Amino acid sequence: QPLILSLQTTLKSFLKSNHHLANSHSFMRDFGTPIIAGERTLFEQADGIHALSHANATDIATDYDIRMPPDRLRVISLGVEDWGARDVPVGRGDREGLRLLFVGRLEPRKAIDVVLEAVRDVLARHPGVTLDVVGDDTLPWGGGRPYREIFEADPAVAAIRDRVMFHGKVSDDALRGFYAGCDVLVTPSRYESFGLMLVEAMMFSKVVIGARIGGMQEVVEDGVSGFLVEPDDPAGLADRLDQVLGDFALRERIGRAARDRYEERFTPERMARSVVDFMDEIAARRNSAESRVTERLSAE
């Protein structure tokens, strides 16, 4: 049967921001190196390759030193169920003012450290603003303590600590509530093969701020349906947050454009049609090749 491989974040991509594992001899010997070899074999032998973004495919080809022939590769964005069309309880609690939201595991690739460094001054300049942090906050940071513990123990953030709320892992229903209740999603990851959390917020007509790297560049039109900042740039992120938080009309305009882009590019129906067409194409090509082999063998 034909094999179609869907590209996500590979182990090599993960290791770029988890240096403690990349530099661990035992981890690489027992897990990392065998998995990377297996990934390379799949990339080389799959009949078809479904990439979530052009950046996703290009980065993997570079990382693994392989070629992805255009006839085997198809870029099809993720399609996401329309949570924004549901009656979603807004997760705002009893707090007033503008709400920033971070969604993701608290590990280096997701750049929670960049977000928390940026918001130190931003929250000081905008007294009514708070930040909700949603995602697993128990992971060791670089092999040490969880980043939440590092942040909360830092005396330099004492003045804003009670305006940064860590919620840990939450249910899907609760996550929808956080999206519905926020004003700005802040997720300047160091790498994303796609950037699902951006789409999830965009369907709620929210302003999103990602990083100019990986698949996020293909999800967000910078300055149109959201914003992109340079990776590892807390000062640049803070400047953009100041702009967005201080301009209601800008938030409204970008939020409407974000919803429009979701409807145009990231619905399940659009993805399903594209994937089925690709699968039919690969199956027909494989059947044709097998028929030619059979005919040649019969002739011999």
Side-chain angles (χ1 to χ4, degrees), residues 2 4 6 8 13 34 51 71 83 88 154 166 214 221 227 229 249 260 265 271 274 279 281 297 299:
I4 296 179
S6 182
Q8 309 289 330
S13 294
D71 63 333
W83 291 351
V88 177
D154 185 354
F166 293 87
E221 301 165 287
F227 295 101
V229 298
D260 290 344
R265 296 283 302 274
M271 177 183 179
S274 299
M279 293 172 68
E281 178 184 318
L297 292 175

Side-chain angles (χ1 to χ4, degrees), residues 186-253:
V186 189
T187 177
S189 300
R190 292 182 168 94
Y191 184 78
E192 293 287 346
S193 57
F194 179 67
L196 177 61
M197 59 284 178
L198 295 168
V199 176
E200 290 174 338
M202 291 165 71
M203 68 175 66
F204 284 97
S205 302
K206 303 300 180 178
V207 176
V208 298
I209 302 178
R212 192 171 287 106
I213 195 169
M216 291 181 285
Q217 302 171 98
E218 296 168 48
V219 173
V220 174
E221 301 165 287
D222 187 26
V224 178
S225 55
F227 295 101
L228 298 171
V229 298
E230 294 302 319
D232 278 308
D233 183 10
L237 176 59
D239 288 344
R240 182 61 74 190
L241 284 169
D242 282 334
Q243 177 194 16
V244 170
L245 292 171
D247 191 333
F248 172 81
L250 176 65
R251 294 196 303 273
E252 289 288 295
R253 174 172 60 81

Side-chain angles (χ1 to χ4, degrees), residues 105-106 133 135-139 146-149 166-169:
R105 298 179 302 278
L106 270 62
V133 179
D136 189 351
D137 54 20
T138 65
L139 303 173
Y147 197 78
R148 174 178 179 174
E149 291 184 13
F166 293 87
H167 302 276
K169 292 187 288 188

Side-chain angles (χ1 to χ4, degrees), residues 5 7-15 31-46 49 60 63-64 66 68:
L5 182 66
L7 304 183
Q8 309 289 330
T9 300
T10 65
L11 184 58
K12 275 198 171 185
S13 294
F14 172 80
L15 291 174
F31 182 82
T33 299
I35 291 296
I36 289 171
E39 288 176 335
R40 178 181 286 108
T41 297
L42 286 172
F43 300 149
E44 292 175 338
Q45 296 185 1
I49 297 174
I60 289 175
D63 287 346
Y64 289 79
I66 58 173
M68 294 187 184

